[in-house]
Amino acid sequence: DAGVIQSPRHEVTEMGQEVTLRCKPISGHDYLFWYRQTMMRGLELLIYFNNNVPIDDSGMPEDRFSAKMPNASFSTLKIQPSEPRDSAVYFCASSLGGSLNEQFFGPGTRLTVL
Amino acid sequence: GEDVEQSLFLSVREGDSSVINCTYTDSSSTYLYWYKQEPGAGLQLLTYIFSNMDMKQDQRLTVLLNKKDKHLSLRIADTQTGDSAIYFCAERGNFGNEKLTFGTGTRLTIIP
């Protein structure tokens, strides 16, 4: 398996633009997580899905952020409109729910909002 | 809510042992994890311990858990330059809750 795939790896955009980050989880995994990593706040869980259904979105910063999982092999995180303070590395992770629940992380998308 | 804390930086001489510490607040933690993040990459699971254990050893890695004090540590024996990374402690609450709470990460620097 190729692991968790994220695209794009880098994104530079201007304030006010819409940004869409994409994630393909590991085949067969039933949990998908979106995280944001910054120097100031460390690693924050934004939202997670189980079987394509959002379970906990309490970490989503505000209404400008939205996440969808239309099927088991694809998820998006959208920011509209983007702001400079959204600049961060966004990670997607997937896991097979159960006792250990090891989360497998993608390589991340580095977002820069100018 | 749950909270997990770590010191931000640790410097160790090559060949010495590294000890990275973590404290957490959730008394219902079931599993505790150590993840490693190398530059430009995502996190990878390094090792884990179930909450009813107090020690786990895996080659150069030793995990100690003091459940009473809610203290977790990771010891890396014979630290090598390839061990340079950020190490995250994470805890998982009750079974059925798949959410992990991560610490701030400890950046381990190896001094030649």
Side-chain angles (χ1 to χ4, degrees):
Chain A
D1 199 316
V4 175
I5 299 172
Q6 290 187 248
S7 64
R9 292 294 311 276
H10 302 273
E11 176 83 33
V12 180
T13 191
E14 292 190 342
M15 184 173 64
Q17 297 298 305
E18 177 180 296
V19 175
T20 300
L21 311 181
R22 297 174 176 80
C23 176
K24 177 177 166 49
I26 292 173
S27 176
H29 282 189
D30 54 354
Y31 283 85
L32 184 139
F33 305 80
W34 281 101
Y35 292 90
R36 177 172 68 178
Q37 186 177 33
T38 61
M39 290 291 290
M40 293 299 294
R41 292 191 297 271
L43 192 67
E44 305 170 277
L45 176 66
L46 301 177
I47 185 171
Y48 78 93
F49 296 82
N50 175 220
N51 292 322
N52 315 337
V53 176
I55 302 300
D56 183 347
D57 66 354
S58 58
M60 295 286 264
E62 48 200 272
D63 291 346
R64 297 184 299 106
F65 285 69
S66 63
K68 292 182 180 178
M69 192 164 186
N71 57 62
S73 58
F74 184 65
S75 177
T76 59
L77 178 67
K78 188 175 291 189
I79 309 172
Q80 165 64 16
S82 58
E83 296 182 3
R85 61 193 167 119
D86 302 330
S87 296
V89 181
Y90 290 81
F91 288 104
C92 175
S94 70
S95 69
L96 184 60
S99 298
L100 176 58
N101 187 29
E102 177 182 353
Q103 293 188 17
F104 292 82
F105 282 72
T109 296
R110 181 174 294 276
L111 173 64
T112 304
V113 183
L114 302 173
Chain B
E2 301 84 4
D3 193 24
V4 178
E5 294 193 355
Q6 304 175 237
S7 53
L8 292 178
F9 302 99
L10 177 66
S11 295
V12 173
R13 291 206 176 276
E14 190 174 1
D16 287 353
S17 291
S18 306
V19 180
I20 304 170
N21 294 301
C22 170
T23 58
Y24 60 97
T25 59
D26 186 359
S27 57
S28 65
S29 291
T30 51
Y31 279 93
L32 294 120
Y33 309 79
W34 284 103
Y35 278 79
K36 178 182 181 182
Q37 183 181 29
E38 297 186 346
L43 282 69
Q44 279 190 301
L45 182 64
L46 197 59
T47 188
Y48 65 94
I49 189 167
F50 189 49
S51 58
N52 68 353
M53 299 168 65
D54 52 20
M55 188 182 92
K56 180 180 179 181
Q57 188 146 2
D58 182 2
Q59 300 182 328
R60 291 192 297 123
L61 306 178
T62 302
V63 179
L64 295 178
L65 174 61
N66 181 328
K67 200 170 179 182
K68 174 175 168 289
D69 294 338
K70 299 190 185 68
H71 182 266
L72 182 74
S73 68
L74 173 69
R75 179 176 180 268
I76 306 172
D78 187 25
T79 309
Q80 303 298 309
T81 54
D83 296 324
S84 292
I86 302 176
Y87 291 82
F88 289 87
C89 167
E91 69 90 20
R92 177 184 170 185
N94 292 324
F95 285 116
N97 179 2
E98 305 296 331
K99 177 179 169 179
L100 299 186
T101 302
F102 284 85
T104 52
T106 299
R107 183 180 294 274
L108 176 63
T109 301
I110 312 305
I111 304 166

